[in-house]
Amino acid sequence: MSNDEVLLSVEDLHTHFLTERGTVRAVNGVSFQLRQGERLAIVGESGSGKSAMAMSLLQLVSHPGKIVSGSVRLEGRDLLRLSERQLNELRGGTIGTVFQDPMTSLDPVMTIEDQLVSTIRRHLRLDRRQASRRAVELLRQVGIPDPELRVRSYPFELSGGMRQRVLIAMALSCDPKLILADEPTTALDVTIQAQIIELLQQISVTTGCAMLFITHDLGLVARFAQKVAVMYAGRIVEFGTVEEIFASPQHPYTQSLLRTIPSADGVRMKRLLQIDGFPPDMRLPIPGCSFAKRCPAATSACEAGSPELTPRSATHSAACFVSGGMAQLNALETASSREPEPAPVAAAAAGPERPDSGEPVRPVLELRSLKKHFASAPSFLKKRRVVRAVDGIDISLHPGETLGVVGESGCGKSTMARLLLRLEEPSDGSIIVEGVDIAHLKGEQLRAFRSKVQMVFQDPYSSFNPKMTIRSIIGEPLHVMKVGTPEEREKRIRELIMTVGLDISYLDRYPNQLSGGQRQRIGIARALALSPSIIVADEPTSALDVSVRAQVINLLVELRDRLGISIVFISHDLSVVRHISDKIAVMYLGKVVEFGLSEEVFRHPKHPYTKALLDAAPIPDPQLEKQRGIELLKGELPSPANPPQGCRFSTRCPLASDRCREEMPPLDPVGDSRQVACFYAS
């Protein structure tokens, strides 16, 4: 088959879920073609039908889902007419799959070898020895070090990046013609994510297999895809090359998604542009355009009829009655939302000044030589080791500032957050909040401190009691701390829910009756209940769509500016950290390796690790991605129980010398507003 021939053809695909509350039309007439060797990205908000469509291609739609009509042709064969036995020959053979969470896809009680070998023997009809050799070769092909050793490991003995590579090896094991990857990098660090994307690209080029890549990360789309399909309300509303979609989007929904992204050029904006309203209820008939109620460019024609996907060029189609969508409106809104480039502040490290006296404002938070060491559990194979999760941190935060904390998983970010909240007691050092060292407070003193620092969690749903109403959830801190009378608490609860932009009618609902963005707003309202000085936000937007993410980020910025709250913002998303933060702390294996003003760190990184993180972060612009000279960080993060001697980054650093491998570089000042732990900081 030549690259010009169609490998996969999907025509008018409809998939419904027959629930007790009505029929959900999750996939509502999807049609597209994919050629051999092409990389097609499917993007859209949660609930747009991306995953339901992908599972429909393999006939893996879970109950009560049902493929109602349409055709899915792979090399001319209609997959919807095949028997289960015939489909099983295709799944894992002609079609490989890579899912979001490898731990739910891999059997925890089987070795990697057993899981790979069973797939290989079934589809390629090899004997055990031949299949084992191929398993080792596949692990080597996807970049797993020591494959002869790792193949005998269990999934829990591998890192998240290695587990995802095992899934890719499994998808490749039988020389597929199509790989379906559903959010394959969502749970990974930015550095591992970049490695996985590069690996998938190489596989596509070297093997010639086509790839269907489902994601909500538009930066990854710009880096990886050749073509893009934008889905909304179960339909494809725009289809084109990646350059056309990013440079000249034609559908208002695509334009709205792209404008929610923080600026790729680093220009600070007053607020992220966001999509108002919510996706339609797919149980109800949609008489006109499904995006009309959220679209500023909608006309009466949009309410009356549903636009078809029509060509705008030879390779670009959009389903919109309005020529150009809302491009003119976007240009006006984007221009009005940008602030002038801030002038560099040479003495910013000393903190803001008091307007009346000119004296520096006292930090609201100071960490001095903060450490947290854990003793690992001993076993008959291993001795007890000390895990240096946080190993000597010195940073400060002033009133009304946001400190962004970035680094790979295992670097100590979340442990530091728990220390700030005094959910963990430090092994050594000080945590000074408003002039008081709270590192070793106990009893009533610790209880009194709790109101000063509050938490916004990554997954609000898991932090809520599902049997409590929103009124009870927001009011719980007030009740626990015995703040005010019942009447005063009720008044405060009503103020809080309106502060986060929700109506008081939500107070009588339960968490399962709210969207992800609404639940995160409730989490923020609960954190504000006791009027804290500091909010610790640990990955508060990682589970949210780009549109909902923009709403939550805007809310945090507005509350910070209006209430003067300081925020410690922990995230893997460097574009969001850049947008929201005044200062940045880059952590690696329990230590801060670079600390300074946000824009200075992003524009002129000094530490090799910071440079590696920024190189790994995708930019939502295909042209910029092509022009970048990306040098990806190699290797895995060392164990904090056995860190390298000398500089902890020396095992992965391209600049490392013998001195780096023997001495630990201190966090020294570089200029007036930067601290860097590197002998070769320039």
Side-chain angles (χ1 to χ4, degrees):
M1 178 182 289
S2 69
N3 284 357
D4 292 331
E5 294 182 16
V6 174
L7 173 70
L8 177 69
S9 178
V10 180
E11 295 181 11
D12 199 27
L13 182 64
H14 291 257
T15 300
H16 296 174
F17 288 81
L18 311 176
T19 71
E20 294 180 355
R21 295 185 177 183
T23 299
V24 178
R25 296 168 177 82
V27 181
N28 201 16
V30 167
S31 300
F32 67 89
Q33 291 183 340
L34 182 62
R35 299 180 185 279
Q36 186 71 29
E38 281 186 341
R39 300 188 299 273
L40 171 64
I42 310 290
V43 301
E45 295 171 284
S46 294
S48 62
K50 305 186 301 296
S51 294
M53 183 273 292
M55 292 300 98
S56 298
L57 303 184
L58 299 170
Q59 288 206 57
L60 291 176
V61 180
S62 58
H63 180 79
K66 180 180 180 182
I67 301 171
V68 177
S69 62
S71 67
V72 178
R73 297 185 180 278
L74 183 70
E75 296 182 307
R77 296 176 71 191
D78 191 345
L79 305 188
L80 303 186
R81 298 183 180 278
L82 299 183
S83 66
E84 188 66 20
R85 183 176 180 178
Q86 290 172 315
L87 285 169
N88 284 335
E89 290 298 318
L90 286 174
R91 298 169 186 152
T94 307
I95 304 175
T97 54
V98 183
F99 294 110
Q100 179 174 347
D101 183 4
M103 277 303 282
T104 60
S105 302
L106 297 172
D107 192 324
V109 298
M110 291 177 66
T111 65
I112 302 303
E113 181 178 27
D114 288 340
Q115 296 184 64
L116 278 169
V117 164
S118 62
T119 302
I120 293 168
R121 294 192 68 185
R122 173 172 184 167
H123 291 282
L124 299 185
R125 305 292 191 265
L126 301 179
D127 61 34
R128 175 78 190 191
R129 180 175 296 179
Q130 292 171 321
S132 294
R133 284 200 299 266
R134 179 159 176 78
V136 171
E137 182 55 38
L138 284 165
L139 294 188
R140 183 178 288 109
Q141 183 179 346
V142 298
I144 292 182
D146 301 322
E148 293 85 1
L149 176 65
R150 296 293 186 180
V151 77
R152 295 193 292 273
S153 301
Y154 290 89
F156 65 86
E157 295 179 298
L158 304 180
S159 67
M162 284 190 182
R163 287 195 291 265
Q164 196 62 285
R165 288 172 185 269
V166 169
L167 276 192
I168 295 173
M170 199 171 291
L172 287 173
S173 59
C174 301
D175 299 321
K177 296 181 178 179
L178 171 65
I179 290 180
L180 195 158
D182 189 357
E183 298 277 9
T185 63
T186 298
L188 303 178
D189 296 319
V190 64
T191 51
I192 306 301
Q193 174 181 267
Q195 294 174 17
I196 295 300
I197 290 299
E198 183 186 47
L199 174 62
L200 289 173
Q201 280 183 321
Q202 290 174 350
I203 288 168
S204 176
V205 172
T206 56
T207 67
C209 70
M211 290 196 181
L212 197 65
F213 184 76
I214 298 171
T215 183
H216 65 266
D217 190 326
L218 295 174
L220 291 181
V221 172
R223 177 173 289 184
F224 174 80
Q226 294 169 322
K227 292 184 177 179
V228 181
V230 182
M231 286 192 69
Y232 185 78
R235 299 182 62 200
I236 292 177
V237 297
E238 188 160 3
F239 189 96
T241 66
V242 67
E243 292 82 8
E244 289 170 327
I245 294 295
F246 279 83
S248 181
Q250 296 296 302
H251 195 281
Y253 179 60
T254 310
Q255 294 164 348
S256 298
L257 284 178
L258 290 171
R259 69 179 187 163
T260 63
I261 306 170
S263 174
D265 57 12
V267 176
R268 297 295 289 268
M269 302 173 71
K270 295 176 183 176
R271 54 185 284 115
L272 293 175
L273 296 167
Q274 59 192 51
I275 307 176
D276 295 324
F278 301 97
D281 188 340
M282 298 302 290
R283 295 172 299 177
L284 304 176
I286 304 173
C289 173
S290 55
F291 191 62
K293 291 185 178 179
R294 306 174 74 186
C295 179
T299 66
S300 57
C302 305
E303 298 284 352
S306 178
E308 296 296 325
L309 196 65
T310 55
R312 302 300 166 94
S313 72
T315 55
H316 193 180
S317 302
C320 183
F321 291 129
V322 182
S323 178
M326 54 183 202
Q328 185 176 1
L329 178 64
N330 271 355
L332 292 173
E333 289 188 358
T334 302
S336 65
S337 67
R338 294 196 175 205
E339 296 178 339
E341 187 101 9
V345 183
E353 294 183 349
R354 294 184 186 276
D356 53 348
S357 65
E359 296 178 2
V361 176
R362 185 178 68 183
V364 68
L365 171 68
E366 291 180 272
L367 306 182
R368 298 178 182 172
S369 303
L370 184 64
K371 296 181 180 181
K372 180 59 183 179
H373 296 172
F374 298 93
S376 64
S379 69
F380 68 94
L381 291 176
K382 298 179 181 179
K383 297 180 180 179
R384 183 186 295 273
R385 289 183 173 181
V386 175
V387 178
R388 297 171 175 84
V390 173
D391 200 27
I393 292 180
D394 293 272
I395 54 178
S396 63
L397 181 64
H398 291 84
E401 284 185 339
T402 299
L403 170 66
V405 184
V406 300
E408 295 168 286
S409 295
C411 71
K413 303 188 303 294
S414 294
T415 300
M416 184 190 74
R418 292 196 296 272
L419 290 170
L420 298 185
L421 295 157
R422 272 304 317 275
L423 299 177
E424 299 279 0
E425 186 167 349
S427 304
D428 195 10
S430 301
I431 306 171
I432 301 173
V433 177
E434 295 184 336
V436 178
D437 188 351
I438 57 94
H440 303 287
L441 293 183
K442 298 184 183 296
E444 283 301 316
Q445 289 180 319
L446 179 59
R447 178 184 171 87
F449 153 77
R450 295 289 188 200
S451 63
K452 300 289 185 183
V453 184
Q454 292 289 296
M455 183 81 169
V456 177
F457 296 93
Q458 177 176 353
D459 181 7
Y461 194 71
S462 64
S463 68
F464 293 162
N465 185 333
K467 297 182 180 180
M468 290 173 64
T469 63
I470 301 306
R471 173 180 280 103
S472 299
I473 289 170
I474 296 176
E476 187 176 23
L478 301 172
H479 178 76
V480 170
M481 300 300 287
K482 300 178 181 178
V483 175
T485 63
E487 293 77 15
E488 290 171 335
R489 288 198 288 269
E490 175 64 19
K491 181 181 178 181
R492 176 65 172 155
I493 291 168
R494 288 170 174 257
E495 290 174 349
L496 287 166
I497 197 165
M498 289 188 289
T499 297
V500 298
L502 295 177
D503 188 80
I504 58 174
S505 62
Y506 284 81
L507 292 175
D508 295 319
R509 300 187 187 185
Y510 290 87
N512 68 327
Q513 296 174 307
L514 273 60
S515 68
Q518 289 170 340
R519 286 196 288 263
Q520 196 59 285
R521 286 173 181 263
I522 298 302
I524 294 170
R526 181 175 62 179
L528 292 173
L530 298 174
S531 302
S533 304
I534 303 168
I535 285 181
V536 179
D538 190 359
E539 296 279 5
T541 61
S542 64
L544 303 178
D545 294 320
V546 289
S547 55
V548 180
R549 180 188 69 182
Q551 296 173 11
V552 172
I553 292 300
N554 286 339
L555 176 61
L556 286 172
V557 171
E558 290 165 6
L559 294 173
R560 178 196 65 189
D561 295 344
R562 178 152 47 95
L563 304 178
I565 296 171
S566 300
I567 300 175
V568 177
F569 190 88
I570 300 170
S571 180
H572 288 121
D573 192 327
L574 298 182
S575 64
V576 171
V577 171
R578 182 176 191 174
H579 172 80
I580 197 174
S581 301
D582 300 296
K583 295 177 180 177
I584 299 286
V586 182
M587 291 189 66
Y588 188 81
L589 276 186
K591 288 187 172 292
V592 173
V593 297
E594 186 160 1
F595 178 71
L597 296 177
S598 174
E599 275 308 302
E600 289 189 6
V601 172
F602 274 92
R603 290 185 183 276
H604 306 290
K606 301 292 187 182
H607 196 282
Y609 180 60
T610 309
K611 294 176 184 178
L613 287 180
L614 296 180
D615 273 348
I619 297 176
D621 186 321
Q623 297 302 324
L624 290 178
E625 279 290 339
K626 288 180 180 179
Q627 297 167 9
R628 296 175 74 189
I630 301 173
E631 188 170 332
L632 296 180
L633 184 62
K634 305 298 182 183
E636 298 282 330
L637 191 76
S639 169
N642 186 27
Q645 184 179 353
C647 175
R648 294 183 177 179
F649 188 58
S650 61
T651 56
R652 305 167 78 189
C653 180
L655 304 178
S657 65
D658 290 340
R659 183 186 181 189
C660 302
R661 298 181 185 94
E662 295 171 0
E663 298 179 40
M664 174 75 72
L667 189 68
D668 283 339
V670 177
D672 295 324
S673 57
R674 188 87 63 96
Q675 294 172 286
V676 184
C678 181
F679 294 126
Y680 304 105
S682 56

